[in-house]
């Protein structure tokens, strides 16, 4: 569905041969013809869908502000599996719905508007013309200001944002039509004008979010040191907390300023600065222009040395980091003050000096992490094969487990070494190697220099053959695979996927749609349909009775955190 592609008769669209009404959550019936002259949003959603539950309150807030206009209505098109779930979910909605019993109409709308994921919001104008099928994104980004949700209005909003960025000042960022101040932890109002000509950090945070809670004390330390040095620096908290008590507790532990709780500018600034992660510290320079979109990582690594957060300062720090990496040794990575050892089984201490001259893999992992548990057998197999060749290799497990019994249970199945549970070195290593997800495998070479942070992928694809994990070794392997592919067709047709040609493609790891086994490096694939075959499966003779229906079940769904998609 593209914007404006079709015009629909609202009466025919929403009614059935047995029903000419919609319902409210109290059971009242509302005639469909009462929607004449109104814009109508069809809200495809379901109770079981986490992203839907998070979006519904946002839509409800927009609806409550637009409802008094009298020309806008939302219709809930349920994807729930039973009437009890429908009733429970609909009870929280202030708008209308197609009755749960009318599954035929709901299914028809689902098919007509090609609903492949929820939440999904299709907005039609007064004449039934589709304004957009991307209503969820529009409401999330612009809220009530996006009304009447026309292409012209959205274009106007985007132009306003671009103009605001071109003409940005500290006042345009922090002040609003109804507010020209920020607040201190004791409730005092501080005029935005008092912050002008300073370097100002906008601290996007959520106190219930662990990464924010962990980062705040480090930021406090940097802030206080800069203040002691007399630097012209200030921080303004942009809290994303939902509860006022949490906001007050959080601000009470901070020595800086904040936007008021639930101020409309909080979400607007999150959109304006394209917020994608927490914590984020945006830096506004003395001239009111954005210096950096996020210096949280720089503060983690460099502390006060990162000030004043200019491109010149970061270039200087980058040169320092390059020199540090060039001088890196295994001891500089794994030794921190008194702890100069790792542990073997039963807590036996192994001096880090015993590992010098070996290739050392730092294995960031945890028992609670399913991908970690899935990767562990592959790593063990590669480790044992490499050791069997008398190669100089060791692995050090760096745990993200939440308690010591979990650490011990997971470590008991590993044939290598580890940092002790709760060791302070874990945090510094995670920062140094930018560990944002696990499992992660960092390879340190015999000289103590970092070879690669991608050793996990290398072992997943090549197993023990990836040793010693150098760029030269990867080129050798690629040459071997290139030689293997000589004589294979670039494209082919296959009985298991007759819709499109399959193209010979390089692919890191995939699951073969014929044998369901994992493959790597080469595949015959169709990107349009996300279909892959091992070369051996693609090139072998296919018998007619080998061809199976491969359609996913109607009720299969996959959620990615923002949308639930049909599998």
């Amino acid at each position: 569905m593209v914007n404006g592609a079709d015009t629909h008769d609202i009466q025919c669209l929403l009614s059935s041969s047995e029903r000419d009404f919609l319902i409210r959550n109290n059971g009242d019936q509302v005639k469909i013809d009462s929607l004449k002259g109104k814009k109508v949003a069809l809200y495809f959603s379901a109770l079981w869908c986490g992203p839907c539950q998070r979006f519904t309150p946002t839509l409800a807030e927009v609806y409550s502000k637009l409802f008094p206009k009298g020309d806008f209505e939302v219709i809930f098109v349920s994807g729930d599996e039973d009437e009890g779930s429908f009733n429970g979910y609909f009870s929280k909605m202030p708008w209308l719905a197609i009755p749960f019993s009318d599954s035929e109409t709901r299914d028809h709308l689902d098919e007509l508007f090609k609903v492949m994921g929820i939440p999904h919001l299709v907005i039609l104008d007064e004449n039934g013309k589709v304004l957009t099928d991307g209503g969820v994104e529009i409401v999330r980004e612009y809220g009530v200001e996006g009304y009447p949700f026309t292409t012209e209005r959205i274009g106007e909003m985007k132009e306003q944002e671009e103009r605001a960025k071109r003409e940005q000042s500290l006042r345009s960022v922090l002040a609003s039509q109804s507010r020209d101040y920020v607040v201190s932890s004791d409730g005092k109002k501080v005029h935005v004008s008092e912050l002008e000509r300073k370097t100002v950090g906008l601290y996007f945070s959520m106190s219930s979010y662990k990464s924010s809670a962990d980062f705040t004390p480090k930021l406090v330390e940097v802030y206080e040191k800069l203040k002691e040095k007399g630097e012209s620096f200030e921080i303004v908290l942009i809290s994303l907390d939902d509860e006022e008590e949490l906001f007050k507790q959080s601000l009470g532990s901070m020595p800086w300023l904040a936007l008021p709780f639930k101020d409309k500018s909080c979400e607007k600034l999150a959109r304006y600065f394209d917020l994608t992660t927490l914590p984020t510290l945006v830096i506004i320079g003395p001239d009111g222009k954005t210096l950096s979109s996020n210096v949280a990582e720089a503060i983690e690594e460099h502390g006060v040395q990162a000030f004043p957060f200019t491109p010149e300062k970061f270039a200087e720090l980058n040169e320092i980091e390059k020199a540090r990496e060039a001088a890196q040794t295994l001891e500089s990575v794994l030794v921190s003050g008194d702890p100069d050892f790792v542990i073997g089984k039963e807590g036996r201490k192994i001096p880090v000096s015993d590992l010098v001259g070996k290739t050392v893999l730092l294995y960031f992992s945890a028992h609670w992490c399913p991908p970690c548990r899935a990767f562990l057998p592959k790593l063990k197999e590669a480790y044992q094969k490499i050791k069997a060749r008398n190669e100089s290799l060791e692995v050090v497990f760096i745990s993200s487990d939440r308690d010591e019994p979990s650490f011990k249970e997971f470590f008991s199945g590993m044939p290598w070494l580890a940092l002790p549970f709760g060791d302070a070195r874990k945090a510094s290593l995670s920062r140094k190697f930018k560990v944002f997800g696990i499992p992660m495998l960092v390879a340190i070479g015999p000289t103590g220099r970092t070879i690669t942070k991608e050793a996990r992928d290398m072992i997943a694809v090549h197993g023990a053959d990836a040793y010693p994990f150098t760029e030269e070794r990867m080129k050798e392997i690629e040459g071997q695979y290139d030689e293997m592919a000589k004589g294979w067709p670039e494209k082919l047709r296959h009985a298991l996927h007759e819709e499109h040609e399959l193209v010979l493609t390089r692919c890191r790891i995939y699951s073969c749609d014929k044998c369901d086994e994992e493959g790597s490096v080469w595949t015959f694939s169709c990107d349009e349909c996300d279909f892959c075959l091992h070369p051996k499966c693609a090139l072998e003779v296919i018998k007619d009775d080998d061809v199976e229906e491969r359609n996913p079940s109607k009720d299969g769904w996959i959620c990615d955190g923002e949308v639930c998609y049909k599998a």
Side-chain angles (χ1 to χ4, degrees), residues 7 21 23 46 49 58 111 119 151 169 224 274 306 335 337 345 489 553:
T7 299
F21 61 86
I23 59 171
C49 165
T58 301
E111 181 178 349
T151 302
S169 66
E224 290 178 340
D274 297 321
V335 175
K345 299 307 175 185
S553 64

Side-chain angles (χ1 to χ4, degrees), residues 179-293:
R179 176 187 50 74
D180 63 354
Y181 60 86
V182 292
V183 297
S184 61
S185 57
D186 58 5
K188 291 181 180 178
K189 296 179 180 179
V190 177
H191 287 279
V192 172
S193 59
E194 295 184 35
L195 306 182
E196 291 176 342
R197 294 177 295 281
K198 289 185 177 183
T199 298
V200 177
L202 306 181
Y203 182 34
F204 291 87
S205 178
M206 184 181 293
S207 58
S208 60
Y209 194 59
K210 186 177 185 302
S211 295
S212 293
D214 291 344
F215 178 69
T216 296
K218 297 165 188 171
L219 184 57
V220 168
E221 181 182 355
V222 168
Y223 176 85
E224 290 178 340
K225 286 181 179 178
L226 290 174
K227 285 294 189 181
E228 288 173 6
K229 293 171 65 176
E231 300 289 1
S232 184
F233 178 59
E234 193 50 75
I235 293 177
V236 178
L237 172 67
I238 315 294
S239 174
L240 302 179
D241 284 318
D242 291 323
E243 298 178 21
E244 189 167 11
E245 190 57 36
L246 283 176
F247 167 77
K248 289 180 177 178
Q249 289 177 3
S250 179
L251 182 57
S253 66
M254 299 173 180
W256 45 71
L257 307 170
L259 287 186
F261 175 69
K262 281 287 188 181
D263 191 277
K264 291 180 181 178
S265 293
C266 292
E267 290 191 7
K268 187 179 292 186
L269 288 173
R271 294 195 304 271
Y272 181 82
F273 289 108
D274 297 321
L275 185 69
T276 57
T277 187
L278 292 177
T280 286
L281 187 66
V282 176
I283 299 297
I284 308 297
D287 61 354
K289 308 300 182 185
T290 303
L291 276 177
S292 178
S293 60

Side-chain angles (χ1 to χ4, degrees), residues 114 124 137 139 169 175 187 191 216 258 312 336 410 468 483:
K114 299 179 175 63
L124 300 91
E137 290 74 20
V139 169
S169 66
H191 287 279
T216 296
E312 294 77 14
S336 178
F410 203 31
E483 189 67 28

Side-chain angles (χ1 to χ4, degrees), residues 287-337:
D287 61 354
K289 308 300 182 185
T290 303
L291 276 177
S292 178
S293 60
N294 191 8
V295 299
E297 187 178 310
I299 284 178
E300 288 268 18
E301 291 185 17
H302 305 289
V304 293
Q305 290 183 335
F307 186 81
F309 313 112
T310 59
E312 294 77 14
K313 171 55 72 172
F314 287 129
E316 178 187 325
L317 292 174
N318 189 47
E319 290 302 315
I320 293 172
E321 187 60 30
K322 285 181 180 178
R324 185 182 298 151
E325 288 179 5
Q328 178 178 295
T329 64
L330 188 63
E331 288 99 328
S332 71
V333 172
L334 284 178
V335 175
S336 178

Side-chain angles (χ1 to χ4, degrees), residues 81-96:
E81 298 168 352
D82 61 81
E83 192 161 10
S85 297
F86 167 81
N87 290 334
Y89 193 30
F90 186 38
S91 69
K92 304 173 184 177
M93 299 177 179
W95 43 73
L96 305 175

